[in-house]
Amino acid sequence: MAIPRDRHDDHSQASISRRLSWLSETTGQSYPYIAGKTIEPELAKGTCENMIGYVGIPLGIAGPLLINGISAKGTFTIPLATTEGALIASFSRGMNLISDSGGCQILSQENSVQNTPNPAYRFMGDALTKVSAVVLHRAEDALKFANWLQEHMSQILIVANNTSRYARLLEISPLFQGNLIGLALTYQTGDAMGLNMATKANEAVCRYIQEACPELISHYFNTLGGDKRFVSDQAKGRYVTASVRIPHSLVKERLRTTPLRMQQFLLACNTLLAQRGATAPNIHVANALTAMFIACGQDPAFVTVSFKNACTHFEVLDNGDLNASLTIPNLIVGVVGGGTKLPIQQECLSMIGCTHDARKLAEITAAVALAGEISVAGAVSAGEFTRAHTGLGRGLNPTKPTESSSEDTSS
């Protein structure tokens, strides 16, 4: 069922109320805070200091989005918070296309770490790495400390795991720079994003090392300010892949372009921009992540980390269909703590059934991002991108079919 719209005045209170009623009927839930109920200042404790109020970001819904995932199964209406006109309309178009193509397939693996002397299979699908540093009295003791670290791994494991009900230490990797020794500790953090858990656990580990090995250790630094930096080959967040096969006829009918043109557009994005130093091989995954993160109480600063190595791929199959896929190796999301406890963000998480399932949130987010990649590639390759953004970005309705809508009655 299409999201209700009024093409003449879609921002009137009547239109908003109609959509909220439709949403409540569709999901079987109520959304009092989204509808305007006053948020008590006390509910923001632990999220903001010197508080003076709330910043209002427009919140819209997109969909329907059919997902055939591991945790996310079924059809979803997606909350997106944004000030970019045309974004939600574009994402809705991509979601409708995915749904009418049979839905989005999801790969979302758990961790696999084998403790064996033989060549081992290792995969980090749900992990967070935080790096601390210890300072040696003498640089020449680095090898001695590395040996000490290996001998005391069982004690370090106990110290780290005792700091949290959720965080579990998976591995430690040392980094050497003179008398500075970096300790990259990787954790599994359950349904939490896990940064505060990792900070607390790293503090306990560093304190234990300093107290147990004073002859080698002078002092330590718990955090190195790398939490919001992208670090290649470092486990951060959840690894998730979304893919869909779209019939050639649907691409032509809905997007008014061809799979080959969409493939050529993506190739141009990744090869030509790479010559200017661009490193993120995707079209605009950051848009999806930012809108989802703000709506669902995630830390927006982690968008930089999460989209940096996200990879979009378009393949034209022998029969002319388009196989579109997106992999996000470092999707940092959680449903415990932080902004997830704020009332509106709780309602957004509830809307998609993710109040207690971070893996499900990761799968839905990847599917949303794929929808955005497909829609924008279609719009640009069809020559409709500028008209849609010029119109919707100014609060106007484009006079011709564009990336913003495929039907007058759906957003």
Side-chain angles (χ1 to χ4, degrees):
M1 182 178 178
I3 297 170
R5 292 185 65 227
D6 183 342
R7 65 179 298 135
H8 300 293
D9 189 2
D10 202 41
H11 291 78
S12 68
Q13 188 57 54
S15 293
I16 293 172
S17 297
R18 182 184 171 208
R19 256 191 303 278
L20 278 169
S21 296
W22 174 88
L23 185 62
S24 294
E25 292 174 5
T26 302
T27 63
Q29 303 177 48
S30 61
Y31 304 95
Y33 286 101
I34 291 177
K37 181 180 177 180
T38 300
I39 302 175
E40 300 81 358
E42 293 77 13
L43 296 176
K45 286 183 178 179
T47 65
C48 180
E49 297 75 47
N50 300 331
M51 182 177 169
I52 58 173
Y54 292 91
V55 174
I57 303 293
L59 178 68
I61 51 175
L65 176 57
L66 176 59
I67 302 176
N68 307 311
I70 298 170
S71 293
K73 299 177 183 292
T75 301
F76 298 87
T77 301
I78 308 297
L80 298 171
T82 182
T83 58
E84 181 180 342
L87 186 140
I88 290 178
S90 177
F91 275 78
S92 252
R93 185 176 76 152
M95 292 175 194
N96 277 275
L97 192 58
I98 288 174
S99 298
D100 290 343
S101 299
C104 185
Q105 310 302 316
I106 299 290
L107 170 66
S108 178
Q109 282 188 258
E110 296 181 348
N111 296 326
S112 179
V113 182
Q114 297 178 2
N115 295 318
T116 170
N118 301 315
Y121 176 89
R122 174 183 179 273
F123 183 84
M124 289 295 185
D126 175 8
L128 181 73
T129 300
K130 185 174 179 66
V131 182
S132 297
V134 295
V135 183
L136 304 178
H137 293 297
R138 297 172 296 276
E140 54 267 30
D141 287 335
L143 182 58
K144 186 181 295 185
F145 173 72
N147 292 331
W148 182 94
L149 192 65
Q150 294 182 63
E151 294 170 359
H152 291 78
M153 280 299 298
S154 58
Q155 294 95 316
I156 291 173
L157 181 68
I158 294 172
V159 168
N161 290 349
N162 281 344
T163 63
S164 170
R165 292 177 296 165
Y166 302 99
R168 292 295 175 263
L169 181 62
L170 299 176
E171 65 179 24
I172 298 179
S173 299
L175 307 163
F176 299 96
Q177 183 70 44
N179 69 329
L180 299 174
I181 309 296
L183 299 174
L185 288 85
T186 300
Y187 302 90
Q188 184 168 301
T189 60
D191 282 324
M193 182 270 283
L195 181 58
N196 289 338
M197 293 179 186
T199 299
K200 185 178 179 181
N202 274 34
E203 175 68 29
V205 168
C206 289
R207 191 185 309 117
Y208 165 77
I209 290 174
Q210 184 177 39
E211 293 174 354
C213 192
E215 68 277 12
L216 297 179
I217 305 300
S218 169
H219 54 281
Y220 67 84
F221 304 112
N222 180 22
T223 184
L224 301 183
D227 299 327
K228 269 95 176 178
R229 298 185 193 181
F230 171 76
V231 181
S232 60
D233 196 33
Q234 177 169 298
K236 276 191 175 182
R238 289 166 170 80
Y239 190 108
V240 59
T241 292
S243 62
V244 63
R245 177 171 176 166
I246 306 174
H248 178 276
S249 58
L250 273 184
V251 172
K252 185 176 181 180
E253 175 189 347
R254 301 285 185 83
L255 302 182
R256 296 168 290 281
T257 185
T258 67
L260 180 58
R261 283 202 173 192
M262 292 174 65
Q263 183 186 53
Q264 290 173 334
F265 166 68
L266 180 62
L267 181 65
C269 289
N270 291 341
T271 58
L272 300 181
L273 292 179
Q275 296 182 30
R276 304 305 299 268
T279 58
N282 61 78
I283 304 170
H284 72 139
V285 168
N287 270 332
L289 300 186
T290 302
M292 283 286 291
F293 278 26
I294 294 173
C296 296
Q298 308 304 300
D299 187 342
F302 279 114
V303 169
T304 302
V305 178
S306 296
F307 98 96
K308 186 77 171 180
N309 60 345
C311 299
T312 301
H313 179 67
F314 291 162
E315 178 186 5
V316 181
L317 304 178
D318 290 342
N319 69 345
D321 290 352
L322 176 68
N323 191 64
S325 63
L326 168 67
T327 297
I328 308 179
N330 300 108
L331 184 52
I332 304 176
V333 295
V335 296
V336 177
T340 64
K341 64 185 181 182
L342 294 172
I344 290 180
Q345 283 71 15
Q346 270 286 303
E347 290 182 359
C348 288
L349 287 170
S350 179
M351 189 187 305
I352 53 178
C354 292
T355 53
H356 300 95
D357 194 337
R359 187 179 188 184
K360 184 177 181 180
L361 177 59
E363 293 182 6
I364 292 173
T365 302
V368 170
L370 178 61
E373 298 290 272
I374 292 168
S375 186
V376 163
V380 175
S381 62
E384 299 176 351
F385 180 87
T386 302
R387 183 169 63 248
H389 277 69
T390 300
L392 291 174
R394 294 177 178 175
L396 305 173
N397 281 316
T399 56
K400 297 181 180 180
T402 67
E403 67 153 328
S404 62
S405 63
S406 57
E407 300 178 3
D408 290 344
T409 57
S410 75
S411 58

